[in-house]
């Protein structure tokens, strides 16, 4: 079926309906309504020709929704980047994209703080940290004011509170930042105990090694770096 001039002027969405309805209005030609119908079709077609490009232009300029062209270009660049990477580099990229270090580090930090905090609330826990706290120039006053048992309970409660704040940080990142800052302060103080606590270095056969207390305190340097990482992660997310 040959198309008329009016059909080519219509918007593609309206061509089908126009072809279907053309037979229905053919008997109205003698009544002088054909020209009016054609005018209406042209007006609707012009409306769509102006409206549709404007909608696409607005959607492409929206900062919340990137355009299809830019998204496709970004996907192609990512594929090209992955093609040039080795297997180890691809694994490293996958680990970073899925936040594996954050989830493992934060979960380990929460467990360690809760478990350690509960232990410090026992008599054995208070007695075990007494030599460490008593020789620290930064926190030795704590046991002098509150005593070893109450002071140890306060330290344990602080650790549990920091763990809970980090846990809430999964939903409310600001709480995670506060928990990370508390953990940072605690592990900074315990890291300095490596320098003030006697017996952290053991001398065996003329060689110097870290004793069990030394290893216990030295790992807090790693915990300090993890606390700072959590503060950074919660603050940027």
């Amino acid at each position: 079926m040959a198309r008329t001039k009016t059909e080519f002027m219509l918007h593609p969405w309206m061509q089908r309906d126009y072809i279907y309805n053309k037979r229905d209005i053919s008997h109205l030609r003698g009544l002088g309504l054909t020209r009016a119908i054609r005018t209406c079709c042209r007006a609707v077609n012009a409306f769509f020709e102006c409206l549709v490009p404007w909608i696409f232009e607005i959607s492409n300029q929206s900062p919340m929704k990137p355009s299809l062209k830019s998204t496709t270009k970004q996907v192609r660049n990512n594929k090209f980047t992955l093609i040039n990477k080795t297997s180890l580099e691809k694994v490293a990229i996958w680990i970073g994209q899925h936040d594996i270090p954050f989830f493992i580090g934060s979960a380990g930090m929460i467990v360690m703080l809760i478990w350690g905090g509960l232990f410090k609330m026992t008599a054995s826990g208070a007695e075990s940290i007494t030599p460490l706290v008593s020789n620290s120039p930064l926190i030795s006053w704590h046991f002098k004011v509150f005593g070893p048992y109450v002071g140890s309970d306060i330290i344990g409660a602080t650790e549990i509170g920091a763990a809970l704040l980090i846990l809430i940080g999964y939903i409310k990142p600001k709480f995670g930042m506060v928990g990370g800052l508390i953990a940072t302060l605690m592990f900074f103080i315990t890291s300095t105990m490596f320098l003030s606590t006697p017996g952290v270095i053991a001398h065996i056969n003329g060689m110097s090694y870290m004793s069990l207390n030394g290893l216990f305190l030295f790992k807090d340097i790693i915990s300090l770096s993890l606390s700072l990482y959590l503060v950074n992660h919660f603050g940027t997310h």
Side-chain angles (χ1 to χ4, degrees):
M1 181 185 296
R3 294 186 176 183
T4 63
K5 182 178 179 181
T6 305
E7 295 176 21
F8 285 103
M9 294 177 61
L10 290 174
H11 193 275
W13 297 346
M14 302 182 61
Q15 288 179 5
R16 184 184 61 182
D17 296 335
Y18 178 80
I19 292 173
Y20 291 159
N21 296 330
K22 185 173 64 174
R23 297 176 181 177
D24 298 335
I25 65 174
S26 59
H27 66 283
L28 299 176
R29 292 179 179 176
L31 302 177
L33 298 178
T34 304
R35 181 175 299 178
I37 295 174
R38 290 180 179 178
T39 303
C40 293
C41 292
R42 290 173 183 173
V44 173
N45 184 49
F47 173 77
F48 277 105
E49 288 181 350
C50 297
L51 178 63
V52 173
W54 178 78
I55 293 176
F56 279 104
E57 183 180 358
I58 295 298
S59 62
N60 290 337
Q61 292 179 357
S62 176
M64 301 299 295
K65 182 179 179 181
S67 63
L68 178 62
K69 183 177 180 181
S70 61
T71 305
T72 305
K73 184 177 180 181
Q74 183 178 3
V75 171
R76 290 178 179 177
N77 291 337
N78 292 338
K79 290 183 178 179
F80 179 76
T81 303
L82 292 177
I83 291 176
N84 295 332
K85 299 295 183 180
T86 63
S87 299
L88 291 177
E89 291 173 334
K90 291 179 181 180
V91 171
I93 293 174
W94 182 87
I95 291 174
Q97 290 176 343
H98 292 81
D99 280 339
I100 303 300
F102 165 73
F103 287 113
I104 294 178
S106 59
M109 177 69 72
I110 292 171
V111 172
M112 181 179 66
L113 290 175
I114 293 179
W115 213 340
L118 291 174
F119 177 68
K120 290 180 177 65
M121 292 182 174
T122 63
S124 300
E127 293 171 359
S128 65
I129 67 171
T130 297
L132 307 179
V133 177
S134 300
N135 290 282
S136 173
L138 298 178
I139 201 174
S140 58
W141 60 269
H142 184 71
F143 275 14
K144 294 178 181 179
V145 174
F146 299 102
Y149 295 104
V150 177
S152 182
D153 290 343
I154 295 175
I155 294 175
T158 303
E159 293 182 358
I160 295 174
L164 294 178
L165 288 173
I166 294 174
L167 182 61
I168 299 174
Y170 289 132
I171 303 174
K172 300 290 185 179
K174 290 184 178 181
F175 287 86
M177 287 184 61
V178 176
L181 290 173
I182 295 174
T184 300
L185 178 61
M186 290 190 303
F187 288 120
F188 172 76
I189 294 174
T190 54
S191 297
T192 61
M193 292 180 184
F194 183 83
L195 303 175
S196 59
T197 302
V200 295
I201 302 296
H203 302 280
I204 303 174
N205 297 327
M207 295 291 294
S208 298
Y209 304 93
M210 278 193 290
S211 63
L212 292 178
N213 282 338
L215 291 171
F216 173 76
L217 293 172
F218 196 82
K219 58 88 180 172
D220 286 347
I221 298 177
I222 303 175
S223 300
L224 173 62
S225 64
L226 178 58
S227 302
L228 292 172
Y229 166 74
L230 293 178
V231 173
N232 177 294
H233 184 88
F234 285 122
T236 54
H237 289 72

